Amino acid sequence: MGFNDLLLSVGGLGRFQIIHTTMLLIPMLLMGCHNFLQNFTAAIPAHRCWVPSLDNNTMGYDQNDLPAFIPVDESEKPMSCLRYRRTLYNMRRNGSLTNDTEPCEDGWIYDKSVFSSTIVTKWDLVCKLRKMRQIAQSIYMAGVLVGAVVLGGVSDRFGRRALLIVSNLAMAVCGTCAAFLPNFITYCTFRCLCGIAFSGIVLNTNSLILEWTPPKGRTVMGTLFAVSFTCGQLLLAALAYGIREWRWLQFTVSAPFYFFFLYSWLVPESARWLMLKGRSSEALKDLRRVAIINGKRKEGEMLSEKILISHMQSEMNHVKRPHSIIDLFRTPGMRKVTICLMMVWFSSGVAFYGIGMDLQNFGISIFLLQFTFGAIDMPAKLFAALLMTYGGRRVTQTTVLILAGVVLLTNAFIPQEMKILRMVLAVFGKGCMAASFACAYLFSGELFPTVIRQTGMGVVAMMARLGSVVAPLILLLWEISPILPSAIYGVTAIISGGAATFLMETRNQQLPDSVEEVEARSQGKGTVKKISKEEVPLNQCESQKMVPKEEVPLNQSQSHSAPPKALMVDTV
């Protein structure tokens, strides 16, 4: 008997879970926007040197005279970072045909046919400063990394709801401020803070959904959580197509978090976390409210603090001492889970962001590419959901990683001239990595025990963010050999897919609440109770064993009834 039995007694996967999950997933749409925002706000338009005598129109020259001022490349296009010291007219007049060139000393002229402005055009992040564009993205991802490291433990200590509220406010303030800052350094600083807030929102949203959902509904909820990111990528393509000014695009994806901050006060704290922190009266109040929303008022009134404590007693006995990140590595079972998941998340982050963060290199419409790269996630995550439901989490995680690795490794040896084939393989590889993330979020949350779930999720999410920081550096290896980036992505995915085979299956099993439960299960000395279709929320005989004599057993009159149909949603 555990907390999942309490969830079943107050309605299982009912109206509350639907409302609760919807409220938490709406902000996730804009989380997907923030991660890929710089594909558009930091896009590099076509550009050339500013030539005063030509562009000031003071010498009678027009654009037809451009080749006299700007040298051309092999494709007969004006070069982006060089101009002639003297016009070709003067060189020919003096009998010299030497291409005497110099860098762009007076700035640049930018093509505004696609974007009216970006941070690149605002602060001239081209030519020698071109790498600053990637640095800005790395700084944002570094913020996500810091948030994953720090906020996981903070959430385990102070609660999921409190951190969610603070993170929503931080994203609103820092995101809108970043849209109107005067220089590049302050912009990067506030984008870094946005990254920290991003981790706070994602980690606590995932835990609040997971800890309020019974086992049979977690696959559906985990899939919806992953799909929300996909919808965010599609939304970004639409927003960026309509808003070509980078400041207003940044503002548009950040301002709604003021509203999310206000209504996040209505989200209840995890009752499981409250119980493990000894705050059973608050947990009882929330469970009774859930029972009312789910149409189980009578069952909610039967609950008492004694019943809650009797169901959670064994778990509460294990959390008398404080837990830290060290507990993830202290025992053999937890160490194996943590290391394998770290490998899974790192490889997923490296390949996913390495493929999807530099769309301009494909040479076609960036809006179409963003939509395509987002759209492929839908069938990929649907496939992952079906495979997780019927085949299990471990099989799914292993399959998508190894498949992605093989595809990306193959793509490394496809000739550069075969652009369509290379793009198709890249899109397929990204879809596999999206499926990997979808599975990893759910699988990790089910493997880590409640007492250090947020800490564990923070550590593995940190590895994904570390991968997203490393991904641009791997792309620099293109200058050595075009084979290297895609080959590295493929090899890391295959290795981590092999590591996933050592993880324990969690399909239809209750969440572990203590490190001891994970160890017993890892050693085969204990099994976690499976939830079958015939299972009763709180059956009569079990209630009589666990509930003190003076308490009324829960669902006594319904102990032999069939489970609610809502519990069967994820198996349809």
Side-chain angles (χ1 to χ4, degrees):
M1 302 292 289
F3 183 77
N4 288 316
D5 299 281
L6 294 173
L7 284 180
L8 292 173
S9 72
V10 296
L13 189 63
R15 188 183 300 113
F16 166 79
Q17 278 72 23
I18 295 173
I19 296 173
H20 175 73
T21 302
T22 301
M23 291 177 64
L24 290 172
L25 288 185
I26 291 175
M28 290 298 99
L29 297 175
L30 296 181
M31 290 291 93
C33 291
H34 271 276
N35 257 13
F36 294 94
L37 187 62
Q38 281 200 192
N39 275 336
F40 302 97
T41 60
I44 303 177
H47 55 279
R48 63 167 178 82
C49 293
W50 172 278
V51 181
S53 58
L54 173 66
D55 298 306
N56 287 335
N57 199 24
T58 58
M59 304 292 292
Y61 297 114
D62 58 29
Q63 294 302 314
N64 293 327
D65 297 306
L66 183 62
F69 295 88
I70 304 293
V72 296
D73 57 20
E74 296 178 355
S75 60
E76 298 298 321
K77 294 181 179 180
M79 299 183 71
S80 300
C81 300
L82 293 175
R83 68 181 184 183
Y84 291 123
R85 292 182 184 273
R86 298 176 296 163
T87 68
L88 286 181
Y89 301 140
N90 290 334
M91 286 190 282
R92 290 169 181 168
R93 188 179 303 118
N94 296 331
S96 173
L97 294 179
T98 303
N99 292 336
D100 188 11
T101 59
E102 64 180 359
C104 303
E105 302 292 342
D106 300 304
W108 289 263
I109 293 287
Y110 296 97
D111 179 9
K112 296 185 178 182
S113 61
V114 179
F115 298 101
S116 58
S117 72
T118 67
I119 66 169
V120 172
T121 63
K122 173 64 178 177
W123 294 302
D124 290 332
L125 305 181
V126 292
C127 300
K128 292 182 179 180
L129 295 179
R130 186 183 180 94
K131 292 182 180 180
M132 300 304 293
R133 170 179 175 266
Q134 296 295 341
I135 290 177
Q137 179 64 25
S138 293
I139 290 174
Y140 167 76
M141 286 299 181
V144 178
L145 174 62
V146 171
V149 173
V150 175
L151 297 184
V154 173
S155 179
D156 279 335
R157 183 178 294 270
F158 296 104
R160 286 77 161 112
R161 177 175 175 268
L163 263 294
L164 179 66
I165 292 171
V166 172
S167 298
N168 276 324
L169 179 60
M171 180 63 81
V173 173
C174 297
T176 52
C177 286
F180 301 103
L181 293 170
N183 58 65
F184 181 67
I185 294 177
T186 54
Y187 167 81
C188 289
T189 300
F190 276 78
R191 280 284 287 168
C192 180
L193 295 175
C194 285
I196 295 174
F198 173 93
S199 285
I201 294 171
V202 171
L203 289 173
N204 290 286
T205 295
N206 185 52
S207 285
L208 283 170
I209 292 174
L210 187 67
E211 294 177 3
W212 274 112
T213 304
K216 292 291 288 185
R218 289 202 301 261
T219 298
V220 171
M221 296 305 184
T223 302
L224 289 175
F225 179 82
V227 167
S228 65
F229 280 94
T230 298
C231 294
Q233 295 179 55
L234 301 178
L235 177 63
L236 176 61
L239 290 175
Y241 186 81
I243 305 173
R244 305 299 180 93
E245 164 67 46
W246 78 269
R247 292 189 185 276
W248 289 112
L249 181 58
Q250 173 75 41
F251 179 83
T252 300
V253 300
S254 301
F257 283 92
Y258 287 108
F259 173 67
F260 301 149
F261 161 71
L262 293 177
Y263 85 57
S264 60
W265 288 87
L266 302 176
V267 175
E269 179 58 272
S270 166
R272 182 191 295 267
W273 180 85
L274 289 172
M275 287 294 299
L276 294 176
K277 291 297 181 180
R279 296 159 62 176
S280 56
S281 61
E282 297 176 51
L284 177 61
K285 180 180 178 181
D286 286 341
L287 284 168
R288 284 177 172 172
R289 185 170 65 167
V290 170
I292 293 173
I293 296 174
N294 284 342
K296 298 286 185 178
R297 180 186 293 270
K298 183 177 180 180
E299 288 81 352
E301 291 174 351
M302 291 180 180
L303 290 175
S304 68
E305 287 189 45
K306 290 183 179 180
I307 292 178
L308 265 62
I309 292 173
S310 69
H311 279 73
M312 298 290 291
Q313 190 61 54
S314 61
E315 290 85 353
M316 293 172 67
N317 289 337
H318 291 305
V319 296
K320 292 181 179 179
R321 68 177 183 86
H323 292 269
S324 67
I325 193 173
I326 298 176
D327 291 298
L328 295 173
F329 302 93
R330 191 190 306 275
T331 55
M334 282 303 308
R335 186 161 55 244
K336 179 177 69 174
V337 167
T338 303
I339 292 175
C340 289
L341 286 177
M342 287 172 69
M343 294 175 65
V344 166
W345 282 73
F346 177 80
S347 65
S348 299
V350 166
F352 186 83
Y353 290 103
I355 297 170
M357 284 305 302
D358 202 10
L359 301 184
Q360 284 188 295
N361 282 342
F362 286 94
I364 62 176
S365 171
I366 190 173
F367 306 104
L368 178 61
L369 273 174
Q370 179 65 54
F371 184 85
T372 303
F373 272 51
I376 190 62
D377 289 5
M378 287 288 192
K381 290 174 180 177
L382 177 60
F383 168 77
L386 293 174
L387 191 56
M388 280 190 290
T389 300
Y390 297 107
R393 279 61 157 153
R394 179 171 58 186
V395 171
T396 303
Q397 193 74 75
T398 301
T399 300
V400 295
L401 280 172
I402 293 179
L403 185 60
V406 171
V407 168
L408 294 174
L409 192 58
T410 301
N411 203 23
F413 298 95
I414 300 295
Q416 299 297 313
E417 295 76 18
M418 303 177 68
K419 294 182 179 180
I420 295 179
L421 178 59
R422 289 179 56 80
M423 181 178 173
V424 169
L425 291 177
V427 169
F428 185 80
K430 181 182 179 292
C432 289
M433 301 318 297
S436 175
F437 267 127
C439 182
Y441 269 107
L442 180 61
F443 200 13
S444 301
E446 293 177 337
L447 284 168
F448 289 121
T450 301
V451 292
I452 50 171
R453 179 168 296 120
Q454 281 297 85
T455 302
M457 291 298 293
V459 169
V460 295
M462 173 195 72
M463 295 305 297
R465 305 317 165 196
L466 181 61
S468 68
V469 173
V470 171
L473 302 180
I474 294 177
L475 287 174
L476 296 178
L477 298 176
W478 181 279
E479 298 179 4
I480 299 176
S481 172
I483 294 176
L484 289 178
S486 188
I488 292 174
Y489 298 152
V491 170
T492 55
I494 292 173
I495 293 175
S496 61
T501 61
F502 294 97
L503 295 170
M504 299 169 288
E505 182 54 65
T506 61
R507 182 170 65 103
N508 291 343
Q509 295 180 349
Q510 295 195 23
L511 294 177
D513 286 306
S514 64
V515 174
E516 288 75 8
E517 285 184 57
V518 175
E519 289 303 311
R521 188 174 165 206
S522 175
Q523 298 171 13
K525 296 179 180 179
T527 58
V528 179
K529 180 181 177 183
K530 288 192 175 183
I531 308 298
S532 65
K533 294 182 180 180
E534 294 77 17
E535 184 177 22
V536 181
L538 286 175
N539 64 47
Q540 183 175 1
C541 62
E542 288 180 330
S543 298
Q544 292 172 346
K545 291 179 182 178
M546 299 298 299
V547 181
K549 293 182 179 180
E550 63 270 22
E551 296 296 332
V552 179
L554 292 178
N555 292 349
Q556 184 171 7
S557 62
Q558 302 177 0
S559 60
H560 298 289
S561 61
K565 291 183 179 180
L567 291 177
M568 309 306 297
V569 170
D570 62 327
T571 62
V572 175

